[in-house]
Amino acid sequence: MTYENIIVERRDGVGLITLNRPEALNALSCPLLRDLAQALDDLESDNQIGAIVLTGSEKAFAAGADIKEMQEQTWPDLYVANYMTVDGDRMSRSRKPVIAAVSGYALGGGCELAMMCDFILASESAKFGQPEVTLGITPGLGGSQRLTRFVGKSKAMEMCLTGRMMDAEEAERTGLVSRIIPGDGLVDEAMKTATKIAAMSTPVTMMIKEAVNRSYEVTLSEGVRFERVMFQAAFGTEDQSEGMAAFVEKRKPVFKNR
Ligand code: CAA
């Protein structure tokens, strides 16, 4: 399938989605978000795919929701259209692991989209921010909630209230980013990491993702109980038998995603 605003490639069990609206620094227009939602549907229903990488260009992962598209909209327009809800939130409903590979600007909806992924690898040029306040609006794709959980109230509040950007070093220090990849190796490293995940048992990586994400939703005891159920359920897979047999026999496991 071909898309107008994104490029989708499949390599070694990994789906690579590249946002591709260079003329607008990958601003998240409705057509782009529709393409992205469709690509996630396709990749998630493909049994050959065990992990996904989402990236942009060197200059911009995404510079936010499309301001030109929003400029003339009124509240009833947005409310009736349920703007940003169905396709905009699609990433947060993905069940397979997704890595955001961020170079350059990840602003507003771009920062929010990166935070919907499971973890963020960043190049040295990455800049994160929620500049919506400078446009007279609030964050709209979860920034006020997810940024606060990632970097704490003080930094999230400062960034959302002033629009200040965070560079890659500060983003890594505060836990927004898992690693900074030096030089121009960002996408290669993200693909390498995703390939490693895709070689694991897909049902198990999906269960791990669900369990980690549960920690944002429920109390510690509820979360630990959920993890225990997932842990025990893993013993219902052939991949558990294979993984443990491979360890005992000192060989590499071959998982079948069953
Ligand atoms: N929407 C639409 N177009 C955008 C855009 C956006 N978010 N960001 C950049 N562009 C366009 C520019 O209008 C420009 O187009 P033209 O060549 O037709 O003028 C092109 O992309 C290149 O941008 P700049 O010339 O501005 O590039 P720069 O290097 O000088 O600046 C930048 C880069 C600092 C990222 C600047 O483009 C910028 O501030 N962009 C807007 C960032 C922003 O406010 N994002 C939040 C959007 S609101 C939101 O996201 C709501 C939400 O939470 C859902």
Side-chain angles (χ1 to χ4, degrees), residues 23-25 27 59 63-68 70 84 105 107-109 112 131-132 135 137 139-141:
E23 72 285 2
L25 302 184
K59 179 162 182 188
D66 192 315
I67 298 167
K68 292 166 190 167
M70 289 185 290
M84 287 281 156
Y105 296 109
L107 302 178
E112 293 167 311
E132 290 89 343
L135 300 165
I137 58 171
L141 272 174

